[in-house]
Every structure is written in C-alpha cells, then in structure tokens.
Amino acid sequence: MDVIMDIAEEFNLRIIEDCAQAHGCLYKGKEVGTIGDIGVFSLNVNKTIQTGEGGVCITNDDDLAYRLKLIRNHGEAVVGPAGYKNIVNIAGYNYRMTEILAAVASVQLKKLPTLNQARIGMVYSLVDQLLEIDFLQPLVSRPECKDCNCEENKKCKPTFYVFPMRFLPEKVNITRNEFVAALNAEGFLFFQGYTPPLYLQPLYQEKQLFKKGYPFKAPVNQHLNMDYNKGLCPNTEQLHYHEMTINEHIRLPNTQEDIDDIYRAIKKIIQAYHE
Ligand SMILES: *Cc1c(COP(=O)(O)O)cnc(C)c1O
C-alpha cells in the first residue's frame, strides 16, 4: 500500500481498496480500508463476517460518502432534486442493501475480533505442524511480519480469509492434484490453487461479451491490441496451477482438534504413498 499510495500521490489518483476479504487486517498499524480514499468490504456468504450477500464502503471524505449514497440509490433519480453538481460517474444503479441485512451485519461486526482470533490461531498452529512436511510451504505473511520487532503501532496483521500453501513438487513424487485429491478423499476441502486469473476466463479467451469478438475486436478497440495469453500474470498462474489453498478448515466452529486432523491426514497420505 505504501508503494500504491506513493504512485497515487505522484499522479493525483484516488485509491479504492478492495478489502473484500480483509476485515480487520492491519497494514503497518493501519486498518486496511482506511489507507486509500475508499475501502470496500464484502459481506457475501463466504467472507469472515457475512450477511448472505451485501457489503460496505467506508470513507472519511464527506463528498465521496455522499456520492456513494447516490450511486447506491439510482443516482440519477435523486441527483437533480438534490442539486448535486458533479454528476460524473453517478449512473443509475440499485446497490441497496436491506435494513434487515444491515442489522445482521451490525451483529456480525461485533463477532469479528473473535472470528479473526480463532482463524489466526488455527492458521499459526497449522503452520507449526506443516513445518515438518518438506513439500508443503505455508505462506504466512511477509516473513518479517510474523515475529517482527517493529513497534506495536506499526504492526501488520493478516487475518487469513484464505490460507495458501506452496506445493514443492521437486520434494515429493506425487503431483499437486493427486495430493489434493487424496486430502479430499480424507474429508478435507483443499483447493487446487485459487480461482483462475480473470483473463483466462472464457469471456477473455473467446473474446466475446455480447457477440463473437465484441467489444474486443470492435473497430474502436482495435488499437488496444488486447493480449490475454497464458503467462500474463505468472505469479497468479503459479498459485492457480501449482499451489494449494484452504479456507473451510481454518474457521469456527472448527477447533484445534480439526487442525490436528489435517496434519494426521497428511501424515497418513505420505505413509500410504511410501508403502
Ligand atoms: C469476495 C471478493 C470480492 C467480491 O465481493 P462480492 O461481495 O461478492 O461482490 C471482490 N474482491 C475480493 C478480493 C473478494 O474476495
């Protein structure tokens, strides 16, 4: 975020933070979502706190807050009567969340510290156990963060919506997919990587939104030379094709015992493999 904020300052850009899965994370002592101009948090059913569907935008800027309210509520229908002059980007959408869901969200928010603490505890315990397994390398956070000595008020705190692990094929004689399949067969929901990069989705690969080739090959876009070939974002692809993630098992109501079960299952697979 430091680098992004520097670029934003240099070029006079506004920053919207996608904190969709980062409720309660700290970056150098600052709550994520409060560093840029607007922070956006998802409350969809998968997130640490959730209301089924929904989300929250936060900002300290009164004008941006007002604009967000307009955009949420069919912007154009009320801009006129409100006498609001800057109509840029205020198109007519319906992003309203119901008050019932907002009430659920308020209660969920109170649970956030407890939910995060449980999650972080499970992750670090799993990390300790995985240290023994040489072909799995848990990605915790920047190495300097976990045991860093920086001042308390400058600490970073990841909250692990997803827990990623590197799979090191050179250290073991099975493939990632075989290993994930074995874990799944043991009853654990490990994923093959994370979702594929956006540009590998059919929309981009087949270059079709409305009809074949449109708008990608439309005359007005021809100078853009849009390339969506594999290899565009090597790190994202590495995660998708070669690494592993979990998120089901690192949250309440799972307990330490469930985490121990994961470790036991991994040991069992390794043993069965040797046999
Ligand atoms: C979940 C998620 C979203 C989408 O949030 P919705 O509330 O489902 O629209 C966007 N970005 C990231 C990083 C997410 O994890």
Side-chain angles (χ1 to χ4, degrees), residues 18 20-21 42 44 47 54:
D18 180 351
Q21 47 179 257
S42 173
N44 92 18
K47 310 300 179 184

Side-chain angles (χ1 to χ4, degrees), residues 36-96:
D37 297 280
I38 298 175
V40 185
F41 296 85
S42 173
L43 295 173
N44 92 18
V45 66
N46 300 300
K47 310 300 179 184
T48 304
I49 56 172
Q50 55 110 351
T51 58
E53 286 288 0
V56 177
C57 299
I58 62 173
T59 178
N60 258 348
D61 180 312
D62 287 341
D63 184 55
L64 288 178
Y66 186 63
R67 294 173 65 79
L68 285 166
K69 287 177 183 170
L70 294 176
I71 290 167
R72 174 179 64 189
N73 189 27
H74 294 307
E76 289 173 318
V78 291
V79 163
Y84 189 71
K85 293 285 182 282
N86 178 6
I87 62 167
V88 173
N89 268 339
I90 301 190
Y93 301 109
N94 176 357
Y95 289 154
R96 292 189 301 261

Side-chain angles (χ1 to χ4, degrees), residues 96-108:
R96 292 189 301 261
M97 188 174 163
T98 66
E99 292 188 356
I100 293 171
L101 281 191
V104 173
S106 300
V107 178
Q108 284 275 296

